[in-house]
Amino acid sequence: MEIIIAKNAGFCFGVSKAVNLLFDLLDKSDEKLYTVGPIIHNDQVVEKLKAKGVKVVKDISEIKNEGQVVIRTHGVTPEVYEEINNRGLKYTDATCPYVKKIHNLVNEKYKDGYQIIIIGDRDHQEVIGINGWCGNTAFIVYSEEDVKNINTDKKNICVVAQTTITKERWETINNFLKNKFENVLKFDTICSATCNRQNEAEYVAKNVDAMVVIGGRNSSNTQKLYEICKKYCSETYQIETSGDLPPMDIKNIKKIGITAGASTPDWVIKEVIGKMEELNKGNEMSFKEAFESSLVTLNTGDIVTGKIIGYNNSEVFVDLGYKSDGIIKIEEFTDDVDFNPSQSIKVGDEVEVFIVRVNDKEGVVELSKKKVESMKGWDALVAAFENKTPVKVKVIEIVNGGVISAVSGIKIFIPASQISDRYVKELHGFLKQIMDIRIIDYNKQKRKFVGSARVLLEEEKAKAGSEFWSSVEVGKKYAGTVKSLMDFGAFVDIGGVDGLVHVSELSWNKIKHPSQVLKVGDKIEVVIKEFDKDKKKVSLGYKKNEDNPWIKAANKYKVDDIVKGKVVRLVPFGAFVELDEGVDGLVHISQISNDRIGKPADVLSVGQEVEAKITEFSAENKKISLSIKEVNPIPAPNKKEEVKDEAEVSEEAKTEEELPTEHKEEINSTIGDIIGKIDVDAQ
């Protein structure tokens, strides 16, 4: 007779964790232990725990103010936690991580205004607990009739499942809900281990002559397995212990299948197999041998591949085909400080792991994903060192003298002097950054690597620089990045070469500092003004001709136009009037008034708005001559105080125009002082 045993028969990781937790507490402490309801739905396990002193109570009120409460795997309502805290009792939460996740989800959506619908058995402790996290307002459905009886005014519906229902029922009920409600938000919360177990049971049942399902009669998980197996194999038997095995005609059974519910311990399975073995005497392989051979053998130090079946914020659970599931602590899963399990882990994905520890007594298999990556990563990094191959890393920590980066579970030190091709004073800006480095040193004994980003940057810069100097020419445009700002200009990286944009080339308007126009990191377009290959110097231009205010003025103004402007500066020979930003015109003193005036300040002031006529315009020479008196002449305040006749003023103006521009203001200031003194003496 051929024996086919489902690989996932027996304890799931949630049940295994809860039972082992209780046994561990019994070994480590003498205090009384209580569970509110049975820890799992298996009478054999519960009785074994009772024999060791664990007391099962129906309500917290039955517990005296002593001992410790262990929350069952099926979970409880918020009110139970509240009562435990109010009583000052100690407790340990053994709620299945899958169920805990449903509690949080239901509570969140309930607070968001959703109507919660639970697909499951309304009398099951798990469903009762879930309902408590939405204020006991959920509609609990298991059939089309239940869906028809739902009466709610809420438009938004959130659907979750009891972890042990079948996929078939989940899909069927959701089709009914879809026809009844428009906005249905579905969360398939069926335990992945349950799905795997049910799929395996179906497969085995389809290929055997008889099927044995081992598990508690009050176990929902076991009941679903029985229903599935019975559907495909008429000779299906549900038993709790070896004593429940019915008489079977072994001679007429060529294939027999065995599976077990999630709450069935391996020792119960072995007892059943022992009993069946007696019925199968004379076969080449005993039931016991078949069961043992169906399990994977694990040893500390092995590297194996498993399938992720669940996770929480601190652990990842892996099916290894062993009698106990494996556990990877998050710190052994990744080095990424920003790691988010819900975004990065997918149930069903395969993962290669290192066996850290196997403890059959506790039912614990400790695993490490990082260890495998580290073992493989070491060889890869050594090869990268020998071949000078770049390595992509993530900076995870700032330390004295540099930063720590990581790749494939291996940490690499990058000295501050090697993190950039420029001096870096503050390293915190590199934290969490992804960067390319080269391994420049390693110590096999200490298992340490040293990396450098600077080497790669300098090589890239040298290569780009060589290409630049071979093709550079005046007038050529480049895209660049502003690297630094100085009082005299801005240095711009144009691809392996830094060029200088002088402050005078940054704007057509007068600026005091480059920061008025640019900031470090800006991406800009520049043009080559001049260069020296021998000295490796490049002068760049940034301001564009189309932005030249005089070119704009040429398109806007012409001779004889009447314009408005603001007086921005007064000099002895006239007033400068701003027409546009960067465009000033000169009103000669003779063009201010029809009367003779001593100085422009007698009739004008800085900031004053005036109207004037353009009498001369030259964009090329950046010169505009204006006349106020041809539009609205300003009379002199007191003609008797005039100290100059027209000839003197005319001669002074003529002299002014002949002088070099850079000396005009200084000489005119001196003349103004002399005239002022004459006025005083005359009076």
Side-chain angles (χ1 to χ4, degrees):
M1 180 172 61
E2 183 182 352
I3 304 156
I4 301 175
I5 301 175
K7 184 177 70 171
N8 287 313
F11 276 0
C12 67
F13 72 89
V15 170
S16 177
K17 188 176 181 181
V19 173
N20 290 330
L21 185 149
L22 257 177
F23 279 114
D24 193 45
L25 288 173
L26 286 167
D27 291 340
K28 294 180 178 179
S29 175
D30 293 330
E31 64 182 342
K32 291 184 179 180
L33 295 177
Y34 299 88
T35 62
V36 184
I39 187 70
I40 62 172
H41 282 160
N42 185 278
D43 291 341
Q44 290 71 40
V45 173
V46 173
E47 290 302 320
K48 192 171 184 178
L49 289 167
K50 282 183 179 179
K52 287 182 171 288
V54 178
K55 186 175 181 179
V56 180
V57 297
K58 292 182 178 180
D59 192 84
I60 296 296
S61 61
E62 298 177 39
I63 304 173
K64 297 180 180 179
N65 293 337
E66 60 180 358
Q68 183 174 175
V69 181
V70 178
I71 306 297
R72 60 175 173 246
T73 55
H74 301 109
V76 294
T77 64
E79 289 74 22
V80 174
Y81 289 101
E82 185 178 351
E83 188 173 355
I84 290 173
N85 289 324
N86 290 340
R87 292 276 305 278
L89 296 170
K90 290 169 58 179
Y91 77 91
T92 300
D93 199 341
T95 304
C96 170
Y98 271 109
V99 177
K100 199 70 174 175
K101 186 177 180 181
I102 302 173
H103 289 176
N104 295 332
L105 174 64
V106 164
N107 187 247
E108 177 188 338
K109 295 304 176 184
Y110 171 65
K111 290 178 179 177
D112 289 342
Y114 282 80
Q115 172 61 60
I116 306 299
I117 295 178
I118 306 169
I119 302 177
D121 179 358
R122 68 180 66 253
D123 296 321
H124 194 280
Q125 292 301 322
E126 179 189 316
V127 175
I128 294 170
I130 294 171
N131 193 17
W133 290 90
C134 58
N136 296 309
T137 62
F139 286 99
I140 302 166
V141 298
Y142 200 72
S143 65
E144 182 180 9
E145 191 64 28
D146 291 335
V147 175
K148 289 180 180 178
N149 292 332
I150 295 175
N151 183 18
T152 178
D153 295 329
K154 293 187 177 181
K155 295 182 179 180
N156 295 326
I157 306 297
C158 175
V159 186
V160 298
Q162 182 180 346
T163 58
T164 55
I165 69 166
T166 63
K167 275 284 187 183
E168 182 181 5
R169 186 166 299 278
W170 167 258
E171 297 295 343
T172 301
I173 298 298
N174 271 292
N175 285 332
F176 295 146
L177 291 170
K178 184 179 179 182
N179 294 330
K180 186 177 179 70
F181 300 102
E182 290 185 6
N183 187 17
V184 179
L185 184 62
K186 299 187 299 182
F187 291 94
D188 183 352
T189 53
I190 301 173
C191 172
S192 59
T194 295
C195 291
N196 292 338
R197 194 186 310 274
Q198 291 175 354
N199 291 335
E200 286 176 359
E202 178 182 330
Y203 175 80
V204 174
K206 287 178 177 179
N207 293 280
V208 296
D209 302 309
M211 192 77 191
V212 176
V213 181
I214 310 169
R217 298 194 186 282
N218 59 346
S219 167
S220 172
N221 182 281
T222 303
Q223 185 59 37
K224 302 299 187 300
L225 289 176
Y226 174 75
E227 292 171 4
I228 291 169
C229 293
K230 188 69 174 176
K231 182 178 179 181
Y232 299 102
C233 179
S234 59
E235 295 294 320
T236 296
Y237 307 95
Q238 180 182 349
I239 65 173
E240 284 194 355
T241 67
S242 59
D244 298 327
L245 272 172
M248 286 187 284
D249 187 356
I250 299 297
K251 293 180 181 180
N252 293 324
I253 299 175
K254 294 181 179 180
K255 294 181 181 179
I256 187 166
I258 299 174
T259 188
S263 298
T264 308
D266 58 355
W267 50 269
V268 171
I269 299 173
K270 288 180 180 180
E271 284 180 1
V272 172
I273 289 172
K275 181 70 176 289
M276 293 182 70
E277 188 177 20
E278 295 177 10
L279 302 174
N280 193 42
K281 286 179 180 178
N283 286 329
E284 293 182 2
M285 180 181 286
S286 69
F287 279 87
K288 184 175 181 181
E289 289 169 337
F291 177 69
E292 296 291 352
S293 66
S294 71
L295 299 175
V296 173
T297 300
L298 298 179
N299 297 301
T300 299
D302 286 351
I303 294 176
V304 296
T305 299
K307 186 179 291 185
I308 295 175
I309 58 174
Y311 61 87
N312 54 39
N313 288 330
S314 59
E315 295 172 323
V316 179
F317 307 102
V318 181
D319 175 17
L320 300 168
Y322 190 62
K323 56 187 174 182
S324 298
D325 295 318
I327 298 174
I328 311 173
K329 294 179 180 177
I330 288 296
E331 55 267 28
E332 286 299 322
F333 194 88
T334 179
D335 270 326
D336 190 351
V337 293
D338 297 319
F339 183 74
N340 186 327
S342 61
Q343 294 179 358
S344 304
I345 297 177
K346 185 178 179 182
V347 171
D349 280 355
E350 289 192 343
V351 59
E352 197 171 22
V353 292
F354 178 87
I355 308 297
V356 177
R357 183 171 71 97
V358 179
N359 190 321
D360 288 332
K361 182 180 178 181
E362 296 179 5
V364 173
V365 182
E366 289 185 17
L367 309 173
S368 172
K369 175 173 169 282
K370 278 172 48 178
K371 186 74 173 176
V372 175
E373 294 175 345
S374 178
M375 292 168 69
K376 290 184 175 181
W378 176 269
D379 293 335
L381 288 180
V382 171
F385 170 75
E386 294 172 347
N387 300 323
K388 296 186 177 180
T389 307
V391 177
K392 194 174 292 293
V393 299
K394 182 175 183 177
V395 178
I396 60 171
E397 186 180 358
I398 308 299
V399 296
N400 287 334
V403 303
I404 299 295
S405 62
V407 62
S408 300
I410 298 177
K411 294 181 179 180
I412 303 169
F413 175 64
I414 305 174
S417 62
Q418 298 297 318
I419 203 164
S420 174
D421 58 340
R422 298 174 180 274
Y423 171 71
V424 178
K425 184 178 180 180
E426 178 55 61
L427 296 175
H428 282 83
F430 291 92
L431 189 62
K432 300 181 182 180
Q433 296 296 310
I434 305 294
M435 60 195 309
D436 289 324
I437 65 168
R438 175 174 292 163
I439 304 300
I440 58 175
D441 192 15
Y442 79 98
N443 186 308
K444 187 174 182 179
Q445 284 71 36
K446 295 183 179 180
R447 296 186 67 81
K448 290 184 178 180
F449 285 94
V450 179
S452 170
R454 178 178 179 175
V455 172
L456 293 179
L457 292 171
E458 289 180 344
E459 287 179 357
E460 291 171 3
K461 194 170 182 179
K463 181 181 178 181
S466 177
E467 294 174 355
F468 171 84
W469 289 115
S470 65
S471 62
V472 65
E473 56 186 45
V474 172
K476 191 172 182 179
K477 294 180 179 179
Y478 287 87
T481 303
V482 178
K483 287 297 184 182
S484 61
L485 301 176
M486 311 297 287
D487 290 342
F488 52 82
F491 284 100
V492 180
D493 179 358
I494 51 177
V497 173
D498 287 354
L500 173 66
V501 183
H502 191 269
V503 66
S504 62
E505 286 292 332
L506 287 172
S507 174
W508 290 101
N509 302 317
K510 188 175 181 180
I511 60 173
K512 294 181 179 180
H513 194 271
S515 59
Q516 294 176 247
V517 179
L518 300 173
K519 63 179 182 295
V520 173
D522 279 352
K523 306 292 183 182
I524 63 173
E525 185 180 69
V526 292
V527 63
I528 304 296
K529 302 287 289 184
E530 58 182 279
F531 61 89
D532 187 326
K533 287 187 178 181
D534 295 330
K535 295 182 179 179
K536 303 295 181 186
K537 290 186 177 181
V538 183
S539 295
L540 304 172
Y542 173 66
K543 61 184 183 183
K544 299 175 177 60
N545 283 332
E546 56 265 30
D547 296 330
N548 187 337
W550 284 95
I551 293 178
K552 293 180 180 179
N555 296 323
K556 183 177 180 181
Y557 303 115
K558 61 182 184 295
V559 173
D560 292 333
D561 279 354
I562 306 300
V563 295
K564 289 184 178 181
K566 181 172 65 177
V567 177
V568 292
R569 190 157 53 97
L570 296 172
V571 292
F573 55 85
F576 286 96
V577 176
E578 181 184 65
L579 302 184
D580 291 317
E581 187 177 5
V583 178
D584 294 349
L586 173 66
V587 182
H588 191 269
I589 191 171
S590 63
Q591 295 299 313
I592 296 175
S593 174
N594 288 327
D595 302 323
R596 287 192 297 173
I597 56 176
K599 54 184 181 296
D602 291 342
V603 293
L604 294 173
S605 59
V606 173
Q608 182 178 341
E609 298 281 343
V610 297
E611 274 191 321
K613 181 179 181 180
I614 297 176
T615 58
E616 185 180 350
F617 186 104
S618 175
E620 184 179 352
N621 296 319
K622 300 179 182 179
K623 179 179 179 182
I624 298 178
S625 296
L626 301 171
S627 173
I628 293 177
K629 75 177 184 180
E630 289 193 35
V631 179
N632 188 16
I634 303 174
N638 188 343
K639 296 181 181 180
K640 292 182 180 181
E641 293 181 0
E642 295 173 359
V643 295
K644 298 181 181 180
D645 57 23
E646 283 188 37
E648 289 174 327
V649 171
S650 177
E651 186 64 28
E652 181 179 299
K654 181 179 178 182
T655 303
E656 186 66 44
E657 289 183 352
E658 291 174 350
L659 287 172
T661 303
E662 60 267 26
H663 297 308
K664 284 182 180 180
E665 289 188 28
E666 182 180 351
I667 294 174
N668 284 326
S669 177
T670 303
I671 292 173
D673 292 339
I674 294 172
I675 292 174
K677 188 173 186 305
I678 293 173
D679 285 344
V680 173
D681 292 342
Q683 292 175 2

